[in-house]
Amino acid sequence: MAIQTITPYPVASDMTELEEIRDQLKDTGHPVSVEDIKAWIQDQDLYTERYRRKTYVSYSDILLAHREFVTGQY
């Protein structure tokens, strides 16, 4: 019988480049900078990957951090 393993990392399709995340969040009415995103990554110890000199992070994780930022919980 096979068991399902738990993967501690997000699926590859969720990984998004920091500048792209910044560009997507500017239309929300609560824009952020790449430096804000980097601070959230460090404060929440989020998983990142480097590829071709660019940093990628889970878009879902950043959306949760952005929600905390907007609601004043951050």
Side-chain angles (χ1 to χ4, degrees):
M1 173 183 247
I3 62 169
Q4 182 178 8
T5 59
I6 298 174
T7 306
Y9 306 111
V11 292
S13 63
D14 191 30
M15 299 301 280
T16 310
E17 199 258 323
L18 301 184
E19 283 77 14
E20 184 177 341
I21 293 172
R22 177 203 57 209
D23 293 343
Q24 291 178 3
L25 292 178
K26 74 178 176 182
D27 296 331
T28 64
H30 301 279
V32 296
S33 66
V34 171
E35 289 75 24
D36 291 332
I37 297 169
K38 287 180 181 179
W40 299 339
I41 290 169
Q42 182 152 0
D43 290 345
Q44 297 184 15
D45 195 29
L46 300 178
Y47 174 75
T48 61
E49 288 184 9
R50 297 263 311 155
Y51 179 71
R52 295 188 178 179
R53 297 165 47 174
K54 293 190 178 193
T55 303
Y56 293 80
V57 66
S58 168
Y59 187 63
S60 300
D61 289 344
I62 294 299
L63 286 179
L64 292 174
H66 186 253
R67 180 190 66 188
E68 292 174 5
F69 171 76
V70 170
T71 60
Q73 297 174 4
Y74 183 75

